[in-house]
Amino acid sequence: MNLRESWLLFALGSAFFAALTALFGKLGVAGINSNLATFIRTLVILAVTAGILSLRAEWAKPSGLPWHSWVFLVLSGVATGLSWLCYYRALQLGPVSKVAPIDKLSVAMAIVFGLVVLGEKPSWSVLVGGVLIVAGSLVIALF
């Protein structure tokens, strides 16, 4: 397996950085408006992504992208922004040890969307894992 192209390596990286996001976000929203915190975070993400695109010479003309890519990327951006606004407010109001796991209900929701919208075929491991995520989130939220 080529690690540089492994989805698993990038998924583990995503989980690691998401965990740091929760920790740093909780520390960062202390004493400031959560919407302003989200805006600052967004500016940093924009700068980091622009830097990576520049270093790798991956810039492309927006007019060359298919219209359906634009539509779904804009919708994804709106969903991401709303998710971040909710997440930072939740971090401001609650403990990171409860907010972050509840936020990960998105994994179970993504499984359902993949099955229903994208027609992905469920495996027992995916279904059982999704149920366990939901069960764990309920235990964390209710007890």
Side-chain angles (χ1 to χ4, degrees):
M1 168 173 32
N2 180 356
L3 283 181
R4 287 180 49 112
E5 299 300 321
S6 169
W7 66 264
L8 182 57
L9 180 67
F10 285 101
L12 290 171
S14 176
F16 174 76
F17 290 116
L20 288 179
T21 297
L23 173 65
F24 297 151
K26 177 67 175 179
L27 296 170
V29 297
I32 70 168
N33 180 287
S34 62
N35 294 328
L36 176 61
T38 302
F39 178 72
I40 292 167
R41 174 186 179 185
T42 303
L43 292 177
V44 172
I45 292 167
L46 182 65
V48 169
T49 306
I52 290 169
L53 283 169
S54 296
L55 287 172
R56 296 177 51 105
E58 294 177 336
W59 287 100
K61 289 184 180 180
S63 61
L65 301 175
W67 70 269
H68 69 276
S69 291
W70 275 104
V71 169
F72 288 113
L73 289 172
V74 166
L75 290 172
S76 175
V78 169
T80 297
L82 293 172
S83 171
W84 290 354
L85 290 167
C86 291
Y87 186 67
Y88 267 39
R89 185 66 177 146
L91 281 175
Q92 202 168 44
L93 298 172
V96 72
S97 60
K98 288 189 176 221
V99 171
I102 301 302
D103 174 67
K104 295 312 172 208
L105 274 173
S106 63
V107 174
M109 292 177 192
I111 291 170
V112 172
F113 293 156
L115 298 174
V116 173
V117 177
L118 300 177
E120 294 178 357
K121 302 296 179 215
S123 67
W124 282 107
S125 61
V126 167
L127 294 175
V128 170
V131 167
L132 290 172
I133 290 168
V134 172
S137 295
L138 288 172
V139 167
I140 289 169
L142 300 176
F143 301 104

